[in-house]
Amino acid sequence: MSDIGIVSYGGSIPRLRIKTEEIADVWGKDGKRIANGLGIAEKSVPSIDQDTATISVEAARNALKRCQINPQDIGAIFIGSESHPYAVKPTGTIVGEAIGATPDLMVADYEFACKAGTAGVQNCYSHVKTDLVKYGLAIGADTAQAAPGDALEFSAAAGGAAFIIGKKDVIAAINHTYSFATDTPDFWRRAEQKYPRHGGRFTGKPAYFKHVMSAANKMMEIADTNPEDYSHAVFHQPNAKFPRKVAKMLGFTADQIQAGLKVPYIGNTYSGASMVGLAGVLDAAKPGERILVTSYGSGAGSDSFDITVTDEIAHFPLEKAPLIDNIIKDKKYISYGVYAKYTDLLYWE
């Protein structure tokens, strides 16, 4: 059977940044201590004209720049986010129209906290494998919300990545995928509530670590692999502390997760986090390298992937769209006042 996997990809991260210390100063907290504890020096902030839809469009267009695919051959678009701009109206149709993929198109918006984007990858993989579509487009993107003064305010960020899944000119073959899910209420936002709530330390051991560990270990069992078989590993990154800790617990080294660890520079992009991390790895990947990717979404679940980089990556035109690290470096710092204005912290009825 021919390879099925990633044919092209692209990322999008807002240019604006706010430093952890800037946020801490407003609330009378120790910014250096918080930055060191979370491993996040600054985070990305959406401008007043940026949302999940615009980030998704830019990421999708960057993916299309790197391949010769006719957008009309994209038969499915699945967008994962917990900050879709409309409660009732899909983000996917906006993206489909913007890239010229309509009207013969299957569209669905997904929600599963921070793993909705990887769920989209799984569905695109299944649709391509069964020949329901020629190509599928999976996007994970968010403009994450955080209540003023809450711990999440230091990490909730914006950004995303798009992956085109197909059978032709595959640069990274998806060998296996596996999911693990339980009803673990570590993080939630009820309908009509502006900001999410969370279970504090409960979000760690019984939530993030249990699900990521379970999914990653089962994935390696299915693939008959060990940590040393992988050149790279990407784990969901709500902060820098969690992925580093879970990598060590699973037997991975700091070097193996380095290429995909972007949270210290842009914060937690939620549904975009694992996707942006994988895009960062592919920016530097070599033929034959193996990648383990395990996302995490509160509520709770993890999707895990065993991926092999193919020879096609050697002549993949990376230069036709910005690399993740170059997008990250293109930044402009803002004050807390501007941040509050752009993220609607000052909004009232």
Side-chain angles (χ1 to χ4, degrees):
M1 188 175 185
S2 61
D3 287 335
I4 299 172
I6 299 165
V7 175
S8 189
Y9 67 95
S12 174
I13 300 163
R15 184 168 178 255
L16 300 182
R17 303 282 190 277
I18 185 168
K19 290 181 179 290
T20 299
E21 291 187 34
E22 171 75 12
I23 299 172
D25 284 347
V26 171
W27 301 107
K29 297 179 179 180
D30 187 339
K32 288 185 178 180
R33 184 184 64 81
I34 293 171
N36 290 334
L38 294 174
I40 299 175
E42 57 196 52
K43 70 172 190 174
S44 58
V45 179
S47 186
I48 203 161
D49 60 350
Q50 290 179 305
D51 60 17
T52 292
T54 64
I55 289 170
S56 296
V57 168
E58 184 172 43
R61 286 175 172 169
N62 282 336
L64 285 167
K65 288 175 183 177
R66 288 174 166 158
C67 61
Q68 300 299 315
I69 292 172
N70 182 342
Q72 287 289 302
D73 288 334
I74 295 174
I77 297 178
F78 302 126
I79 300 180
S81 179
E82 58 182 83
S83 52
H84 289 288
Y86 294 95
V88 181
K89 186 195 181 306
T91 306
T93 53
I94 298 171
V95 175
E97 201 75 50
I99 65 172
T102 55
D104 301 318
L105 184 66
M106 182 187 309
V107 174
D109 285 0
Y110 288 163
E111 289 186 8
F112 195 140
C114 299
K115 86 166 191 73
T118 53
V121 173
Q122 288 178 320
N123 278 272
C124 284
Y125 172 83
S126 297
H127 281 65
V128 171
K129 185 175 183 178
T130 55
D131 293 319
L132 284 174
V133 301
K134 186 174 182 180
Y135 296 103
L137 174 63
I139 301 173
D142 259 306
T143 53
Q145 315 92 0
D150 188 85
L152 290 177
E153 192 175 28
F154 296 99
S155 60
F163 292 84
I164 299 174
I165 310 299
K167 291 183 178 180
K168 185 180 178 182
D169 300 326
V170 172
I171 62 170
I174 298 174
N175 307 314
H176 308 280
T177 184
Y178 166 80
S179 295
F180 179 91
T182 72
D183 184 15
T184 303
D186 59 312
F187 178 98
W188 67 93
R189 179 165 62 86
R190 295 181 68 89
E192 309 302 326
Q193 287 185 331
K194 184 174 175 63
Y195 301 115
R197 301 179 68 182
H198 56 87
R201 292 184 180 275
F202 182 73
T203 62
K205 185 176 180 180
Y208 178 93
F209 291 102
K210 175 182 177 180
H211 292 78
V212 173
M213 290 281 292
S214 298
N217 278 322
K218 183 66 175 181
M219 184 74 274
M220 288 189 282
E221 179 185 327
I222 292 170
D224 192 23
T225 55
N226 295 303
E228 56 266 27
D229 295 319
Y230 296 95
S231 300
H232 306 280
V234 179
F235 302 108
H236 175 57
Q237 37 204 280
N239 50 53
K241 182 179 179 180
F242 278 20
R244 286 172 175 152
K245 182 176 179 179
V246 82
K248 186 175 181 179
M249 292 168 69
L250 286 164
F252 289 87
T253 67
D255 287 343
Q256 285 172 294
I257 67 168
Q258 187 57 41
L261 192 63
K262 305 304 180 186
V263 68
Y265 318 107
I266 58 173
N268 178 10
T269 54
Y270 283 48
S271 293
S274 300
M275 309 277 274
V276 169
L278 176 57
V281 167
L282 291 175
D283 281 349
K286 304 289 191 299
E289 291 187 336
R290 207 157 181 175
I291 307 166
L292 179 74
V293 180
T294 306
S295 62
Y296 173 74
S298 293
S302 286
D303 301 325
S304 196
F305 301 82
D306 174 77
I307 297 171
T308 301
V309 181
T310 74
D311 292 342
E312 290 291 333
I313 201 140
H315 45 83
F316 182 66
L318 277 172
E319 71 283 355
K320 291 190 176 181
L323 301 180
I324 295 298
D325 282 348
N326 288 342
I327 297 174
I328 291 173
K329 290 174 184 175
D330 181 20
K331 58 188 177 181
K332 177 184 177 182
Y333 291 110
I334 58 173
S335 67
Y336 190 89
V338 173
Y339 161 78
K341 176 181 177 182
Y342 284 179
T343 55
D344 280 338
L345 296 188
L346 306 178
Y347 175 79
W348 72 91
E349 289 286 353

